[in-house]
Amino acid sequence: MLGFILQRLWQAAIVVMAMSALVFCGVYAVGNPIDVLISPDATQDIRAAVIAQYGLDQPLWRQYFAFLGRIVEGDFGRSLVYSIPVSELILTRLPATLELTLAAVLFASLVGIPIGMYAGYRPHSLISRAIMAISILGFSVPTFWFGLMLIMVFAVQCGCMPAGGRGETVSLFGVDFSFLTGDGFAHLVLPALNLALFKFSLMIRLARAGTRELMLSDTVKFARAAGLSEFTVLSRHVLRLISIPLVTVFGLELGSTLAFAVVTETIFSWPGLGKLIIDSITSLDRPVMVAYLMLVAFLFIVINLIVDLTYALLDPRLRKGRA
């Protein structure tokens, strides 16, 4: 297991290096932030001084290696717009996005998996057909439209939920959380539902397909013959056997939700990384764009590593093979 972990960490380091080169070259090849930061009426001397201040007069390869040197020291540069360190700016926004993402993925998993298992256990019942219709609706409805409908119904018409913002937060271990307060939790519900829609439908489909397949297997037949209750068969045997594909999807969806929560954060004015990256793209704030993309790549790598380790814990055959 230790050898496997070291091998995965080495692969992760190579991927991070490749991603840093791709992200840096891609971002720095698009546009010129000086045109945004400096007034068109500025003199050539002022323009040249600002360009030299940000190191933009250097060749791209020299800027890249200077960027790598700063990363090693934990310095992602300063935001061209906010004039504060990028790492500080991201750390102020990251808890909001993590809170929203975890709420959405956990809701999709904790609710979608039991419902999907029931749909697979009773595939021909009326409730199962209704569940599958809901899952099709979840795949078909655009996220932005569903978010607007949530605001229209619950915030505008009923007035029972807030339309946007994060609400009241409380600090715990130096990090602000909104779900720990009543007002903050109310602000979290609608954006989390909107973000969870697609994942919810996906979990239902996967759990239903896996359950239907396993209900006809010898494992379930032997468990029933041993006198186990249906609940025990489903919770102890079926759920365990369908866990590997569900863990895969959970990991991938957690990363993708974290990276692409832009639409939901914009609709609900959620002060997270998604809104920050949109503002940074608009103002060509290159240091923030590069740091955000590097953070997303790093999170995907960490999540995939955790998923692989979870495989080994769920399936002893994989653990033995890697050992």
Side-chain angles (χ1 to χ4, degrees), residues 274-292:
K275 194 171 186 307
L276 175 64
I277 190 62
I278 289 294
D279 296 338
S280 301
I281 291 173
T282 304
S283 57
L284 283 178
D285 198 348
R286 286 176 171 174
V288 177
M289 295 164 64
V290 172
Y292 172 82

Side-chain angles (χ1 to χ4, degrees), residues 119-132:
Y121 181 68
R122 301 288 187 197
H124 303 296
S125 68
L126 188 61
I127 297 177
S128 297
R129 292 176 181 175
I131 291 172
M132 296 313 297

Side-chain angles (χ1 to χ4, degrees), residues 37 54 75-90 276 280 283-289:
L37 297 173
Y54 290 104
D75 180 13
F76 285 89
R78 295 179 70 86
S79 167
L80 302 180
V81 176
Y82 298 94
S83 297
I84 61 174
V86 173
S87 55
E88 180 181 335
L89 180 62
I90 287 180
L276 175 64
S280 301
S283 57
L284 283 178
D285 198 348
R286 286 176 171 174
V288 177
M289 295 164 64

Side-chain angles (χ1 to χ4, degrees), residues 189-295:
V189 171
L190 292 186
L193 284 177
N194 185 56
L195 198 58
L197 177 64
F198 180 83
K199 290 80 187 170
F200 177 70
S201 304
L202 188 60
M203 288 295 179
I204 288 177
R205 288 273 173 172
L206 287 174
R208 177 182 180 273
T211 303
R212 286 203 66 180
E213 180 181 353
L214 286 173
M215 292 308 294
L216 302 176
S217 67
D218 292 337
T219 302
V220 172
K221 292 177 181 177
F222 287 138
R224 283 173 167 168
L228 298 179
S229 66
E230 291 297 294
F231 177 79
T232 303
V233 171
L234 287 172
S235 61
R236 186 176 298 175
H237 296 284
V238 176
L239 179 60
R240 182 181 179 85
L241 292 174
I242 66 174
S243 291
I244 289 181
L246 292 178
V247 167
T248 305
V249 173
F250 181 90
L252 294 177
E253 288 301 315
L254 179 62
S256 64
T257 306
L258 186 63
F260 307 116
V262 177
V263 175
T264 298
E265 291 189 0
T266 303
I267 292 174
F268 290 92
S269 300
W270 188 264
L273 287 177
K275 194 171 186 307
L276 175 64
I277 190 62
I278 289 294
D279 296 338
S280 301
I281 291 173
T282 304
S283 57
L284 283 178
D285 198 348
R286 286 176 171 174
V288 177
M289 295 164 64
V290 172
Y292 172 82
L293 294 174
M294 288 295 298
L295 174 66

Side-chain angles (χ1 to χ4, degrees), residues 4-321:
F4 168 72
I5 294 175
L6 293 176
Q7 181 185 13
R8 294 288 288 115
L9 290 175
W10 171 247
Q11 293 173 350
I14 295 176
V15 173
V16 169
M17 285 296 297
M19 282 299 302
S20 69
L22 290 174
V23 166
F24 188 88
C25 294
V27 171
Y28 276 68
V30 177
N32 186 356
I34 299 301
D35 295 334
V36 180
L37 297 173
I38 300 179
S39 169
D41 299 330
T43 64
Q44 287 298 323
D45 292 339
I46 295 176
R47 188 180 183 85
V50 173
I51 291 175
Q53 176 185 351
Y54 290 104
L56 300 177
D57 56 339
Q58 301 295 322
L60 186 60
W61 64 269
R62 185 168 291 177
Q63 294 184 48
Y64 172 67
F65 282 108
F67 165 73
L68 289 182
R70 291 196 301 270
I71 283 185
V72 172
E73 299 174 353
D75 180 13
F76 285 89
R78 295 179 70 86
S79 167
L80 302 180
V81 176
Y82 298 94
S83 297
I84 61 174
V86 173
S87 55
E88 180 181 335
L89 180 62
I90 287 180
L91 286 177
T92 59
R93 303 292 189 93
L94 183 60
T97 298
L98 283 176
E99 185 177 37
L100 177 62
T101 301
L102 288 175
V105 176
L106 286 177
F107 171 81
S109 301
L110 297 179
V111 179
I113 291 174
I115 291 178
M117 289 182 66
Y118 177 82
Y121 181 68
R122 301 288 187 197
H124 303 296
S125 68
L126 188 61
I127 297 177
S128 297
R129 292 176 181 175
I131 291 172
M132 296 313 297
I134 292 173
S135 70
I136 293 174
L137 193 65
F139 282 124
S140 307
V141 175
T143 302
F144 71 93
W145 183 88
F146 185 65
L148 293 176
M149 288 301 102
L150 287 175
I151 294 175
M152 181 66 69
V153 173
F154 294 101
V156 178
Q157 298 295 333
C158 300
C160 58
M161 303 296 285
R166 200 182 179 193
E168 183 183 356
T169 60
V170 61
S171 181
L172 184 65
F173 303 114
V175 180
D176 291 336
F177 294 98
S178 61
F179 75 96
L180 295 176
T181 67
D183 181 64
F185 184 78
H187 282 79
L188 178 64
V189 171
L190 292 186
L193 284 177
N194 185 56
L195 198 58
L197 177 64
F198 180 83
K199 290 80 187 170
F200 177 70
S201 304
L202 188 60
M203 288 295 179
I204 288 177
R205 288 273 173 172
L206 287 174
R208 177 182 180 273
T211 303
R212 286 203 66 180
E213 180 181 353
L214 286 173
M215 292 308 294
L216 302 176
S217 67
D218 292 337
T219 302
V220 172
K221 292 177 181 177
F222 287 138
R224 283 173 167 168
L228 298 179
S229 66
E230 291 297 294
F231 177 79
T232 303
V233 171
L234 287 172
S235 61
R236 186 176 298 175
H237 296 284
V238 176
L239 179 60
R240 182 181 179 85
L241 292 174
I242 66 174
S243 291
I244 289 181
L246 292 178
V247 167
T248 305
V249 173
F250 181 90
L252 294 177
E253 288 301 315
L254 179 62
S256 64
T257 306
L258 186 63
F260 307 116
V262 177
V263 175
T264 298
E265 291 189 0
T266 303
I267 292 174
F268 290 92
S269 300
W270 188 264
L273 287 177
K275 194 171 186 307
L276 175 64
I277 190 62
I278 289 294
D279 296 338
S280 301
I281 291 173
T282 304
S283 57
L284 283 178
D285 198 348
R286 286 176 171 174
V288 177
M289 295 164 64
V290 172
Y292 172 82
L293 294 174
M294 288 295 298
L295 174 66
V296 169
F298 179 75
L299 288 175
F300 267 104
I301 291 169
V302 172
I303 289 171
N304 283 327
L305 177 61
I306 294 174
V307 168
D308 284 346
L309 295 179
T310 308
Y311 280 173
L313 293 176
L314 290 173
D315 193 337
R317 296 172 299 177
L318 297 176
R319 189 161 60 241
K320 291 178 181 176

